[in-house]
Amino acid sequence: MSLDPPTYLSSLQNNTRARPIPWEGAVRAGTISDQDLKKIKAVDKVRKEQRRQTIEGDYGAYKLLLLGGQGTKSVLESAAKRADVIQYILVLTGDLLNDVPDLSSQLLDHPDPYKPFLPFLSHLTNPEDPIPLLTSSILATLISTAQTKFPKSTPKTDEAIPKLYKYLSGLTKTQDSGLQDIAVQEYSAVLRTKKARELFWKQKEETVCPLIEILRAAAGAGKDTDSNVWSGAASIRSVPDGGLSGGVGLQLLYHVLLTIWQLSFEGTLVGKGLEEDHDIIPLYTHLLRLSPKEKTTRLLLSTLLNLFSPASNRSTLLPLATSARLPTLLANLKARHLSDTDLLEDLTSLTDMLSEYTSAQTTFDEYSAEIMTGHLRWSPPHRDAGFWRENARRIVEENKNELPKKLAEILGKGWEGDKGVLAIACNDVGWLVKECPDKRGVLEGLGIKGRVMALMGEADERVRGLIGHAFPSITSAFAGTDPADDTSAAQRPYNPLLTNMFIEGSVPPLFSLALTRGTASGGTLAIGGLPQHVAYSGNFATSPFQVLPTM
């Protein structure tokens, strides 16, 4: 796998090569030995062919120079106090590894080939510090070669990989796309083996999470938008000329997708975790809509195929693919004039897999699968009145109230990162109460009523509105199943939860509000009477609502 060297790193290396080093002074100061200097000058600032011949003529001498031996320090260890010398030697080492490929294999025969380099990863004053940047490039090259040279992982390599991952993860967390790209390309160079991918996943908080944040930025998915951003309204036409959303350039996007694609070869290990932690299926479906090039489309499709292929993932991930409308998107892709043969092969495989799955599924199955994932999105069944008329009773009764129990669990979480999930859950509870009023006791017994009532004080207006504070005339149900068609003409008013409670006589048709001045709580809202535990005295004023015509 060949990747272009990151521009920032190439510029750093060129600037270092052009910088004069007072070598003789370094020898007099004891920073390096005279023998070391002779070896350096023999391969520094010479033609590539001459450099290759010199190295191949005495691999042992250059192994001793770079890695040291018994009782002998490497040149990097000897020059530990001279940052300019270390930086120059690191660049020279990188050049030697590139110009003489067999040198990497020779160095890996050393008992501890990574020892002189690993300490420099912590030599960090800021993310742009050149020494760890140059060191990480060398380590990525050595580790990548080791994975080819040794069919089985070695203890020294397995110890070095997590340390390299930890450093690179710091680069991915910066806002500098150049540094992010260096890290991602070096990740990709290392993720060649099962062991490297397992170690990558083991450090997923450091390694995977920042990469997903880059993809979320590219998709235009910010905090508290997950349940709405996957509606399918965006397309490639909405991608700005300078790159995708969040300022993510095409090159960085491609390299991040490449890294996740490599990780996806461990689909059994990572599939469910990527979905539970990062909503990978709707995220990748949305990125497919935005994908600006065939090469990014190919990686997106291939990654999805890798995640769907393990039988253990299908029952969890395929329902999410249908709710994210991936089958429709795949059909649209097939209508395009695509030329990449690997892309077309994966597209056919995905289409066939999803067709086989959806042919045996009902809308109820799709809804049930989404509820059981524990993370709701505005998929079509939530807003389909016909679906609720046909399935509400089944939802409440089937498998000993399994789905209402899961709804209660969802409502019991705070969802600080995506309040829209609470809004969807409240929407579903409202439909269940409307279609199955005789089952209200079941829902109350599961704690759903108490949680819904508690959410009436929720600051997020999406949650408050769906709980039932709105008038029937301004509710937000719409005909059809496509959110893109939700217009005023398609609006279908219905009785919200509180209206139904008043109509059915569950509570008197009134509410009261006690305001508390000078506190953060604001006050107490009581439905059907006066607030409890609130001291009051004096006369009360009442006022009916008067509906005024709109201007």
Side-chain angles (χ1 to χ4, degrees):
M1 187 181 304
S2 177
L3 296 175
D4 297 329
T7 303
Y8 183 92
L9 187 60
S10 297
S11 176
L12 173 61
Q13 292 166 335
N14 289 334
N15 291 338
T16 302
R17 293 185 192 102
R19 188 179 304 152
I21 301 293
W23 293 113
E24 285 72 16
V27 171
R28 289 194 299 271
T31 302
I32 62 172
S33 69
D34 187 58
Q35 285 297 109
D36 287 344
L37 180 57
K38 289 179 180 178
K39 295 173 190 174
I40 291 169
K41 287 191 171 182
V43 294
D44 187 29
K45 293 182 171 55
V46 298
R47 291 180 295 107
K48 183 183 296 186
E49 182 61 25
Q50 182 180 342
R51 174 179 286 169
R52 186 182 63 79
Q53 291 176 356
T54 301
I55 296 290
E56 290 177 347
D58 198 350
Y59 278 122
Y62 284 91
K63 186 191 300 184
L64 187 65
L65 174 72
L66 298 175
L67 303 181
Q70 290 185 348
T72 305
K73 291 183 178 181
S74 73
V75 66
L76 290 168
E77 292 169 314
S78 298
K81 295 182 180 180
R82 284 286 301 274
D84 58 336
V85 173
I86 291 173
Q87 188 170 329
Y88 196 93
I89 294 297
L90 288 172
V91 171
L92 180 60
T93 301
D95 291 341
L96 297 180
L97 295 177
N98 288 330
D99 295 345
V100 191
D102 286 344
L103 178 60
S104 294
S105 294
Q106 294 291 328
L107 295 180
L108 290 166
D109 288 333
H110 189 279
D112 199 349
Y114 310 111
K115 180 183 176 183
F117 303 105
L118 289 173
F120 293 128
L121 292 180
S122 58
H123 189 281
L124 186 66
T125 56
N126 65 74
E128 297 181 9
D129 192 318
I131 289 178
L133 276 174
L134 296 168
T135 301
S136 68
S137 177
I138 293 169
L139 285 169
T141 300
L142 288 175
I143 291 171
S144 178
T145 304
Q147 293 168 336
T148 304
K149 180 179 175 67
F150 305 110
K152 294 184 178 180
S153 61
T154 64
K156 292 297 181 183
T157 298
D158 292 347
E159 290 173 13
I161 288 176
K163 295 176 182 177
L164 178 60
Y165 285 164
K166 182 175 180 62
Y167 168 71
L168 296 178
S169 71
L171 300 185
T172 61
K173 294 173 187 175
T174 69
Q175 300 302 310
D176 188 315
S177 60
L179 295 176
Q180 290 174 327
D181 200 39
I182 290 172
V184 175
Q185 289 205 42
E186 291 176 11
Y187 277 153
S188 184
V190 173
L191 286 171
R192 294 170 176 262
T193 65
K194 180 180 181 66
K195 183 65 175 181
R197 294 190 287 268
E198 289 173 345
L199 290 171
F200 193 81
W201 184 248
K202 188 175 181 180
Q203 294 175 250
K204 59 184 178 180
E205 291 298 323
E206 292 178 313
T207 56
V208 178
C209 289
L211 302 187
I212 296 297
E213 287 306 308
I214 293 172
L215 295 180
R216 286 168 57 84
K223 181 181 178 182
D224 210 24
T225 61
D226 285 1
S227 47
N228 293 307
V229 77
W230 318 127
S231 66
S235 71
I236 188 59
R237 297 178 183 85
S238 64
V239 178
D241 293 338
L244 283 85
S245 298
V248 178
L250 177 60
Q251 176 172 290
L252 178 58
L253 173 67
Y254 175 76
H255 291 151
V256 173
L257 292 176
L258 179 63
T259 300
I260 301 297
W261 170 72
Q262 290 173 277
L263 180 64
S264 72
F265 280 92
E266 307 307 320
T268 302
L269 173 67
V270 308
K272 291 182 180 178
L274 283 173
E275 177 55 35
E276 290 173 359
D277 297 339
H278 305 295
D279 295 326
I280 195 71
I281 304 306
L283 173 59
Y284 264 53
T285 302
H286 190 65
L287 285 169
L288 267 176
R289 296 187 183 101
L290 302 173
S291 180
K293 298 288 183 180
E294 283 196 15
K295 65 180 184 179
T296 52
T297 300
R298 180 180 66 244
L299 287 173
L300 289 162
L301 291 174
S302 185
T303 300
L304 288 171
L305 187 59
N306 286 344
L307 295 177
F308 292 152
S309 292
S312 58
N313 287 351
R314 294 184 184 181
S315 62
T316 303
L317 301 186
L318 290 180
L320 296 172
T322 57
S323 66
R325 295 190 287 177
L326 180 58
T328 302
L329 179 57
L330 295 180
N332 292 338
L333 284 175
K334 294 194 80 169
R336 296 185 187 176
H337 298 292
L338 302 171
S339 59
D340 188 295
T341 54
D342 291 334
L343 185 161
L344 292 170
E345 182 178 338
D346 288 343
L347 178 58
T348 299
S349 297
L350 272 175
T351 301
D352 292 345
M353 184 184 296
L354 284 164
S355 295
E356 180 181 352
Y357 170 77
T358 55
S359 65
Q361 297 297 303
T362 64
T363 307
F364 176 85
D365 294 328
E366 294 175 14
Y367 174 81
S368 176
E370 182 186 342
I371 293 294
M372 295 309 295
T373 67
H375 196 160
L376 309 182
R377 303 169 190 86
W378 279 117
S379 55
H382 297 288
R383 288 170 163 164
D384 186 349
F387 168 80
W388 291 103
R389 283 194 300 271
E390 295 173 9
N391 295 287
R393 188 165 298 277
R394 182 182 177 187
I395 289 170
V396 175
E397 296 177 347
E398 194 163 276
N399 295 330
K400 298 180 179 180
N401 317 125
E402 180 183 42
L403 293 180
K405 288 176 182 177
K406 192 65 180 180
L407 268 176
E409 179 184 318
I410 293 169
L411 284 166
K413 297 179 181 179
W415 295 102
E416 296 304 324
D418 190 5
K419 291 292 186 181
V421 173
L422 291 174
I424 299 169
C426 290
N427 168 83
D428 291 5
V429 170
W431 280 112
L432 293 175
V433 171
K434 177 181 179 182
E435 298 296 334
C436 304
D438 57 310
K439 295 295 182 180
R440 189 165 51 236
V442 174
L443 302 180
E444 291 179 6
L446 295 174
I448 289 178
K449 177 181 177 182
R451 179 56 179 156
V452 169
M453 298 298 284
L455 288 172
M456 289 181 177
E458 171 60 49
D460 192 301
E461 61 184 14
R462 294 172 297 172
V463 181
R464 289 200 312 271
L466 281 163
I467 288 171
H469 287 184
F471 290 110
S473 61
I474 59 172
T475 50
S476 298
F478 298 90
T481 60
D482 189 346
D485 296 332
D486 291 353
T487 64
S488 57
Q491 185 179 5
R492 296 294 184 267
Y494 65 91
N495 288 337
L497 178 62
L498 294 185
T499 303
N500 272 330
M501 292 171 70
F502 297 151
I503 292 173
E504 295 167 5
S506 301
V507 295
L510 57 90
F511 71 88
S512 57
L513 180 65
L515 299 177
T516 306
R517 297 179 179 177
T519 67
S521 65
T524 302
L525 173 68
I527 306 299
L530 297 173
Q532 296 180 2
H533 312 300
V534 175
Y536 55 86
S537 62
N539 298 323
F540 289 90
T542 62
S543 175
F545 281 112
Q546 182 178 1
V547 179
L548 299 176
T550 57
M551 299 298 291

